[in-house]
Amino acid sequence: MKIICIGRNYAKHIEELENEKPEHPVVFLKPDSAILPRKNPFFIPPFSNDVHYEVEVLVKINKVGKYIDAKFSHKYYDEIGLGIDFTARDVQAKCKEKGLPWEKAKAFDGSAVIGEFYPKEDVEINNLNFQLFKNDEIVQDGNTQAMLWKVDELIAYVSQYFTLKKGDIIFTGTPSGVGKVSENDTLKGLLAGKKAFEIRVK
Ligand code: ZN
């Protein structure tokens, strides 16, 4: 399976990082080795002093698709989840400065937290609340209404480039409030009020 991630999909997050609003979705990949195994803590990698959490709504693809029309995108997923796109912001800043790819900053081991999934019938995909708590304090509070590109548009867009396969996961971008993690932090994600994950940082 592969993980397809969308960057800069919430206007307020684009502002907080002083990025330009993109003309098209920003897309990057994480390999399956990036998935943080269930119940494992997240270990801050030794090559970064500034790892950020980014809470994101996840979509799990349920069948093969290519050149999907946005009006049929809903047929390609049954489950919605929540996760974290851990980002080594200092490494990313260097990559950006030099115009280099982001993988070292975004696709390292443990950088993809994948929490619980819920049937799409149980949630309103285009009006879905989600939150991240750091040590029981709310740090990110998002709603999918604020996405620049909605889930169905993202599926259509990325499927022009990558054949989607059953089990692939799309990270749909983070709202504002991203920040640094420190040793012994606890990160808890809520999707429509339900706990989707809780991880410790080491
Ligand atoms: Zn992200």
Side-chain angles (χ1 to χ4, degrees), residues 5-8 13 28 54-56 85 87 106 171 173-174:
C5 302
I6 306 300
R8 303 180 194 172
H13 172 61
F28 58 96
E54 295 189 354
V55 73
E56 310 200 1
D85 164 23
T87 304
K106 286 277 198 183
F171 277 61
T174 195

Side-chain angles (χ1 to χ4, degrees), residues 7-179:
R8 303 180 194 172
N9 200 22
Y10 289 84
K12 281 187 187 151
H13 172 61
I14 295 171
E15 284 168 23
E16 75 180 344
L17 293 187
E18 296 179 352
N19 283 319
E20 271 177 43
K21 201 168 156 179
E23 210 180 307
H24 301 288
V26 173
V27 179
F28 58 96
L29 302 180
K30 291 183 193 258
D32 58 4
S33 51
I35 297 170
L36 185 69
R38 281 282 165 99
K39 301 204 165 121
N40 278 26
F42 170 75
F43 287 93
I44 297 173
F47 52 78
S48 177
N49 292 312
D50 193 21
V51 172
H52 279 198
Y53 50 78
E54 295 189 354
V55 73
E56 310 200 1
V57 169
L58 312 183
V59 179
K60 196 191 279 183
I61 298 299
N62 64 5
K63 61 179 170 190
V64 174
K66 173 85 177 159
Y67 292 115
I68 298 165
D69 192 308
K71 66 175 182 283
F72 299 122
S73 290
H74 64 277
K75 295 176 185 276
Y76 291 83
Y77 61 94
D78 297 317
E79 291 175 283
I80 303 297
L82 193 72
I84 297 178
D85 164 23
F86 276 121
T87 304
R89 198 68 75 199
D90 44 358
V91 177
Q92 189 193 27
K94 282 187 199 143
C95 295
K96 277 179 172 175
E97 195 181 284
K98 295 182 179 154
L100 295 172
W102 291 1
E103 277 80 1
K104 288 195 288 183
K106 286 277 198 183
F108 57 86
D109 289 357
S111 63
V113 173
I114 297 174
E116 293 298 325
F117 282 86
Y118 298 98
K120 69 177 178 193
E121 293 77 24
D122 293 1
V123 298
E124 176 51 65
I125 184 67
N126 291 319
N127 185 9
L128 180 57
N129 282 309
F130 58 102
Q131 288 94 18
L132 185 73
F133 291 80
K134 186 172 97 167
N135 307 326
D136 290 324
E137 191 183 311
I138 191 161
V139 286
Q140 289 190 273
D141 189 3
N143 186 294
T144 54
Q145 270 185 336
M147 285 181 166
L148 300 181
W149 289 278
K150 306 294 183 206
V151 166
D152 288 357
E153 294 171 295
L154 293 174
I155 288 174
Y157 186 78
V158 299
S159 75
Q160 297 177 78
Y161 298 90
F162 312 112
T163 297
L164 299 181
K165 291 186 174 180
K166 187 177 160 76
D168 288 350
I169 291 174
I170 301 177
F171 277 61
T172 60
T174 195
S176 60
V178 301

